Amino acid sequence: MPMLDAIIKKISVWFNEHQMEAASGSLENKMVPLLENYLHDLWVKAEKLKVMELNSFEREYVDTCERVIEYMVSLLLKTCSCKVFDIQKYPCFHAFACFH
């Protein structure tokens, strides 16, 4: 019984430490599981795009989608010419490809 009490106490301490660590981060860097899963699924599509860097200081890129259409992405301004990044406030697959 004392051994089980010691194990429970240690697990409680670990849980409290990790809970405080998770709560201490800023809200801007946290994602809800729905968004995290969405971005994970988006990566499969994004890694196939061809990206060309236009300006490294301003973090501007052009990626080619479907061999014809080019999308202008600015990671600094958080914009994309498809307007999904501008409206949803999280990266579209064009912007996501530029992170790679």
Side-chain angles (χ1 to χ4, degrees), residues 8-68:
I8 290 171
K9 183 177 179 181
K10 191 63 170 177
I11 290 173
S12 296
V13 168
W14 287 344
F15 179 78
N16 288 333
E17 286 175 2
H18 291 294
Q19 186 177 17
M20 286 187 281
E21 180 183 324
S24 67
S26 71
L27 293 175
E28 294 175 1
N29 296 330
K30 292 184 183 180
M31 289 190 288
V32 295
L34 180 68
L35 178 59
E36 189 172 351
N37 292 336
Y38 169 76
L39 292 177
H40 180 72
D41 295 340
L42 198 63
W43 178 249
V44 175
K45 191 175 180 181
E47 70 180 346
K48 295 177 183 174
L49 295 178
K50 294 181 180 178
V51 178
M52 183 177 66
E53 185 176 47
L54 294 178
N55 185 342
S56 63
F57 182 72
E58 304 245 339
R59 296 187 200 156
E60 293 178 341
Y61 302 88
V62 170
D63 62 16
T64 306
C65 183
E66 299 168 7
R67 298 186 188 142
V68 179

